[in-house]
């Protein structure tokens, strides 16, 4: 039976009207009461141009409060938000708009000119345009049915066409509750949002905000100086980051120490190199590794406060309402990771077949490889599709990257498989170096830690690595670079 | 769609095996791992004598760990626990056993002799007897379906026959989550359980324990010295109490002060006299008034930490997942309280008609009277059936009790209506006095605060007031006393 709760923003505005919902870098704030009233007004303005229960509306914006308001406004109408990645090309956007049956796209003043060049197949309006419209006298939602869809986000899916992951209100609710049961709930918390809100990692922070009654410190984009300052002197207690952000913050902190009130650096976006985690630990940064994906409405496996500093390299255990299994048909403890729980999507939009194949009896096949230690802690090894098979041996790119990144002179590294006549595939490394170092020196260093078949057969020095909007390494792009080099 | 979560005790034992689940007065503790293993063993022993999925098993015991273990054991079998009040007569018990279709009653060594005198209609076994049985090799539940029934508790229902309130796993889950979203979740919490576990107020503490991973300090019965000591020196941070317990604790604390870590005295069981709340505030006791009933799986309306000391007399606002309305068809702001939320029971066992009448579109008609102030805070006035109508005027017993209890010499007071030829009903008061005071002096005192029609027309001095197992005043018993006096 679908549970019904009061509309969460209305509820929070009733419980804690004066409490800060959003804090900006310039020090301005918006309270929950203001957020509610602004969102409800925006909803009535959207209703004026025909948005209604069941409408699919795209949100195409970099982080700002307007997109959070739009999101809540759509929930007041019972409409579905399709969160669009601002890095997509016009063609990619049109694919998603068409697939998700979007009737209107909302965007920011900053992006509108670029978007107009794109020839999108649906009508586009800026947030500012909407706020200039008259308000329709419509009945807004006072309750939320947890089984109703709220957002659709396309998986970065680098193979095949992207699929729209449907998140119900319940998925977001359970994600927020699962995290609270792990991290605890403190009246003094302030969560910094620098991950893109069009990804579930950023979006989920704003769901937690209304459910917990917690301020979010909102950044338009990642800037390590601003994040560092926010932790040091703006009362931020939790930050969600991906590996490269942590790398930059660790570099920046130097001999300083974060305030004691700073209690969690929630690390997602794939396995992190162990040397980086060791460095963070040495600097007393409470890194909580986690594991999750769009389909799990953000983290579903996370280290707990008591294990964060002891279980380095592990993503932890499944959150309280969730379950975790590793399927390893052979003796090899490494196998595909399966997860289950009420934060897991019920499926992909209009993709019944794929849904049925991917989610069976509630268990989501993640396509990721990992293993459990004897204490039940998860170690994520790699994406299954990134696995390099060299002469019949499994080479996990993350393991090789982790070793190389331990070398003083190496800033960033990405490892992929290259087609090889003799071995089928061999690992090669793309390196962003800090200082003078040769490929030979790198391979000599790696020989101390890696079996021969895992050693990169080539080191390519580059200025930067390809990353997506979440700053996650895009290995498929490295594969394309290799192909281009062949020509 | 019914959500599925891992079995909560198995899960907590996996997340925090060493964490204390139950702490006894003698200092002994039981960890979550031990609680899980003991409960699973008990489940297999129950299976040996035929308890299985869908069985209804009575638990008839005063507070002890064995009944908590039995409760979890039944959940491992998918059986339903019928929580029985130890104060009931044999006849009353047989009514509930028959109505709830109970096939077996579990009880303690202490009670077995008394129970054997009662001629119960079903087989009775002690917890100790069960632990002597062989274990059946049955498959235990690894998951919980939130829509499945877990417990049945009969409402004290003093008019008509008692009704069995069904609580699903989801009801208990949402109750625990609603409370956490109000009080916060801290790794240092320890909740003291002195309320009977056969009532939902006591039971709910053990649900929170497994869901939060929080130790419970377990008392067999209320003893103000032991509770005081537990707060002062045993690390207890939260205590659930009813009015009379608070009264005794306030008396005991004298000029002392509870430690800063003690953060919540959760007060339920009906409206509390304002003078008592003022006294508690003067002694820096963080009293959080709350409102709830068996049908709402314990509290559903509660003061928040920030309002606890400012909104004295109010029960607060509906918990985050819950809603609250007061139906007042006339100008009088006082009306019947209605509540809705996923912690509200889906209905009474085998009482479809009553269920349909009491719960409409999810809204539970509570039968209680109250009003909302302009900030939306609930003030519970009285049970509707306790209302005294005197010459057409409404007299709320709680208001009169609250005034009288402000008098130095009065320890406890209960007010009910007495049939009167002239006025229909008049209020009369039963008083437990501390020191020398006459009825006339009491009425003179009350005249300073109450309109004439609210003044008690009689003061009866008694040694103690009738209270139920939760220590709540039983006004229907006072009415019986009045009737007996007439004869």
């Amino acid at each position: 039976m679908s549970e019904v709760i009061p509309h969460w923003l209305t509820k929070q505005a009733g419980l804690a009207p004066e409490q800060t919902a959003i804090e900006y870098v310039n020090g301005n704030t918006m309270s929950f009461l203001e957020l509610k009233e602004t969102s409800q007004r925006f909803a009535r303005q959207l209703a004026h141009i025909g948005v209604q229960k069941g409408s699919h509306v795209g949100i195409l914006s970099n982080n700002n409060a307007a997109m959070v308001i739009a999101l809540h406004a759509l929930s007041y109408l019972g409409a579905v938000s399709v969160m669009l990645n601002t890095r997509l090309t016009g063609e990619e956007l049109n694919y998603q708009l068409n697939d998700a049956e979007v009737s209107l796209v909302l965007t920011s003043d900053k992006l509108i000119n670029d978007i107009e060049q794109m020839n999108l197949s649906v009508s586009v309006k800026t947030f500012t345009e909407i706020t200039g419209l008259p308000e329709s006298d419509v009945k807004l939602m006072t309750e939320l049915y947890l089984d109703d869809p709220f957002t659709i986000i396309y998986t970065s899916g680098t193979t095949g066409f992207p699929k729209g992951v449907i998140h119900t209100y319940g998925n977001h609710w359970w994600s927020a509750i699962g995290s609270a049961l792990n991290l605890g709930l403190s009246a003094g918390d302030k969560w910094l949002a620098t991950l893109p809100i069009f990804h579930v990692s950023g979006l989920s922070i704003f769901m937690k905000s209304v459910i917990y009654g917690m301020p979010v410190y909102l950044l338009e984009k990642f800037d390590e100086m601003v994040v560092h300052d926010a932790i040091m002197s703006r009362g931020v207690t939790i930050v969600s980051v991906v590996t490269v952000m942590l790398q930059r913050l660790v570099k920046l902190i130097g001999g300083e120490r974060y305030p004691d009130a700073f209690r969690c650096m929630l690390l997602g976006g794939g396995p992190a190199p162990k040397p980086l985690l060791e460095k963070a630990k040495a600097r007393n940064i409470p890194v909580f590794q986690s594991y999750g994906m769009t389909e799990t409405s953000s983290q579903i496996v996370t280290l707990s406060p008591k294990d964060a500093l002891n279980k380095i390299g592990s993503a932890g255990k499944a959150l309280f309402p969730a379950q975790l299994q590793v399927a390893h048909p052979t003796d090899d403890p490494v196998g595909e990771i399966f997860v289950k729980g009420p934060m897991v999507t019920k499926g992909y939009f209009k993709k019944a077949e794929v849904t049925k194949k991917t989610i069976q009896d509630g268990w989501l096949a993640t396509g990721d490889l990992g293993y459990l230690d004897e204490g039940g802690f998860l170690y994520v090894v790699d994406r299954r599709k990134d696995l390099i098979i060299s002469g019949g041996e499994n080479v996990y790119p993350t393991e090789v990257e982790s070793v190389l990144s331990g070398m003083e002179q190496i800033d960033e590294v990405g490892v992929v498989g290259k087609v090889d006549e003799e071995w089928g595939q061999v690992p090669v490394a793309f390196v962003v170096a800090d200082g003078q170092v040769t490929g030979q020196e790198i391979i000599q260093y790696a020989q101390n830690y890696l079996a021969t078949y895992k050693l990169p057969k080539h080191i390519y020095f580059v200025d930067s690595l390809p990353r997506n909007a979440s700053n996650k390494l895009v290995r498929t792009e490295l594969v394309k670079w290799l192909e281009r080099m062949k020509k």
Side-chain angles (χ1 to χ4, degrees), chain A residues 106 186 250 345 365 434 454 462:
Chain A
L106 300 173
S186 160
V250 165
T345 180
D434 175 23
K454 296 180 184 173
V462 291

Side-chain angles (χ1 to χ4, degrees), chain A residues 399-414:
Chain A
E399 185 190 5
V400 182
E401 288 165 6
S402 182
V403 164
L404 295 197
S405 71
M407 198 179 186
E408 197 69 27
Q409 300 92 328
I410 292 184
D411 263 3
E412 297 177 31
V413 54

Side-chain angles (χ1 to χ4, degrees), chain A residues 15-35:
Chain A
L15 289 175
E18 312 293 328
Q19 164 80 326
T20 296
I22 300 178
E23 181 177 337
Y24 309 98
V25 180
N26 65 12
N28 287 351
T29 61
M30 178 183 278
S31 71
F32 280 105
L33 183 61
E34 289 166 329
L35 180 58

Side-chain angles (χ1 to χ4, degrees), chain A residues 112-120:
Chain A
I112 186 68
N113 286 335
D114 290 345
I115 289 167
E116 278 174 350
Q117 311 295 317
M118 285 181 175
N119 283 317
L120 294 192

Side-chain angles (χ1 to χ4, degrees), chain A residues 330-393:
Chain A
T330 66
D331 274 355
D332 184 358
V334 175
E336 184 169 5
I337 299 168
F338 287 78
V339 291
K340 178 174 183 176
M343 66 286 274
V344 174
T345 180
K346 300 289 187 287
Y348 303 101
F349 186 61
K350 295 193 308 187
K351 298 266 188 300
E353 275 308 304
V354 183
T355 298
K356 226 170 111 182
K357 225 179 92 184
T358 315
I359 308 171
Q360 288 175 7
D361 185 28
W363 287 96
L364 171 79
T366 65
D368 287 323
L369 297 173
Y371 64 91
L372 301 175
D373 71 9
E374 64 284 3
F377 289 84
L378 176 69
Y379 291 75
V380 180
V381 169
D382 244 312
R383 293 288 303 164
R384 194 163 56 176
K385 65 180 173 45
D386 288 345
L387 180 67
I388 303 164
I389 302 178
S390 188
E393 297 281 2

